[in-house]
Amino acid sequence: MESIRQRRTIRKYQDKPIPAQLMDELLATACRASTMGGMQLYSIVITRDAAMRERLAPLHFNQPMVRDAAAVLTFCADFNRATHWCAINKADPGYDNFESFFNASIDALLVAQTFCTAAEEAGLGICYLGTTTYEPGKIIDLLQLPALVFPVATITVGYPAEHPAQPDRLPMDGIVHDETYHDYTDDDIRRIYAYRESLEENKEFVRINGKETLAQVFTDCRYTRADNEAFSRRLLDALHRQRFI
């Protein structure tokens, strides 16, 4: 448990491949994750080839980890396989809908997190990319994903070439709710975010962006309404194309 609590995101990697046997073991371990109905509603696309990683990088805002990592893993919600299985076994599949996408996405995220934990225990470093659903259509094209397969998470993995400081986390009493959800007062929110706002790097973040508060950096610079709405349209278009809505 302590090793998990000491984890940190790795964005710089050694120029060193991951042995095939180790990768196979990590994937097999990850696939022991919980899954709805034992159906394993996910697929994992591994991108090791440098030329393919070069093509994938622009779809993740050219984050250098995509080019530099030993491998990039795209975890996909996958109802294509189960639907095919049903179709050839005299069963009528009803999985071309949003409920099925949601369930398969949870499956994919569970296996992705299990892979990350196993990889870090093996001495590797990982970075979760939050950009997978920004350009889903282009990722679908590049990875040749058929209908009922959708990219939901991307992980870069490799041997660390850095040991960065751990990022801050909100206090547990700001996250955990006993029995029912207890909404926050203004004072609760100020207390929960006080430490994060007090960090010098975050104060500098506010200053260089010409903002008044750290919250404004998130709303006005990092995750704007206009961007969120544009990405939402792309996401919905891709979900329609892949027959989930």
Side-chain angles (χ1 to χ4, degrees):
M1 187 179 298
E2 184 60 26
S3 61
I4 296 175
R5 293 184 66 171
Q6 293 301 317
R7 73 156 307 277
R8 58 206 69 223
T9 295
I10 300 299
R11 294 180 173 85
K12 296 180 180 178
Y13 301 96
Q14 300 177 41
D15 184 13
K16 178 181 177 182
I18 300 169
Q21 182 179 354
L22 174 57
M23 180 64 83
D24 289 346
E25 289 174 356
L26 294 173
L27 292 168
T29 299
C31 289
R32 299 307 304 175
S34 298
T35 171
M36 192 189 83
M39 296 174 74
Q40 292 186 269
L41 305 172
Y42 52 81
S43 283
I44 308 165
V45 181
I46 307 175
T47 306
R48 299 184 182 89
D49 180 72
M52 275 294 284
R53 286 187 281 113
E54 186 69 30
R55 295 175 64 189
L56 196 56
L59 309 186
H60 290 285
F61 288 43
N62 285 307
Q63 295 179 84
M65 301 84 74
V66 178
R67 293 184 173 91
D68 298 341
V72 179
L73 278 65
T74 305
F75 293 83
C76 303
D78 186 349
F79 250 114
N80 173 60
R81 182 174 57 245
T83 295
H84 194 161
W85 174 62
C86 291
I88 65 175
N89 283 280
K90 302 179 182 179
D92 182 20
Y95 306 127
D96 52 346
N97 47 64
F98 189 74
E99 172 70 12
S100 297
F101 167 72
F102 197 74
N103 287 327
S105 294
I106 293 170
D107 263 23
L109 293 172
L110 286 169
V111 78
Q113 181 56 58
T114 305
F115 174 86
C116 290
T117 301
E120 289 173 331
E121 286 289 332
L124 299 170
I126 66 95
C127 180
Y128 165 75
L129 305 183
T131 46
T132 308
T133 55
Y134 289 0
E135 293 282 9
K138 293 180 180 178
I139 294 174
I140 288 166
D141 289 339
L142 181 61
L143 301 183
Q144 301 179 25
L145 306 182
L148 299 181
V149 181
F150 203 93
V152 294
T154 302
I155 304 296
T156 62
V157 60
Y159 289 96
E162 63 173 350
H163 188 73
Q166 277 192 302
D168 68 283
R169 289 291 187 262
L170 297 178
M172 293 307 298
D173 65 352
I175 294 171
V176 179
H177 302 255
D178 288 329
E179 307 301 341
T180 61
Y181 189 101
H182 301 283
D183 208 353
Y184 306 98
T185 66
D186 291 355
D187 285 343
D188 289 335
I189 294 297
R190 292 188 183 98
R191 175 181 53 79
I192 290 166
Y193 286 88
Y195 175 70
R196 177 167 294 178
E197 293 172 341
S198 74
L199 295 173
E200 288 302 320
E201 57 265 36
N202 286 335
K203 291 181 179 179
E204 178 66 5
F205 210 17
V206 173
R207 187 191 67 77
I208 63 176
N209 282 284
K211 298 298 175 182
E212 218 180 317
T213 67
L214 183 61
Q216 289 175 345
V217 175
F218 280 80
T219 61
D220 300 353
C221 304
R222 297 191 67 186
Y223 306 104
T224 68
R225 179 183 294 276
D227 285 346
N228 289 334
E229 290 177 349
F231 294 144
S232 293
R233 287 190 291 271
R234 293 179 194 173
L235 178 60
L236 290 171
D237 287 346
L239 283 168
H240 186 269
R241 169 184 162 186
Q242 296 302 94
R243 294 175 37 207
F244 276 119
I245 58 174

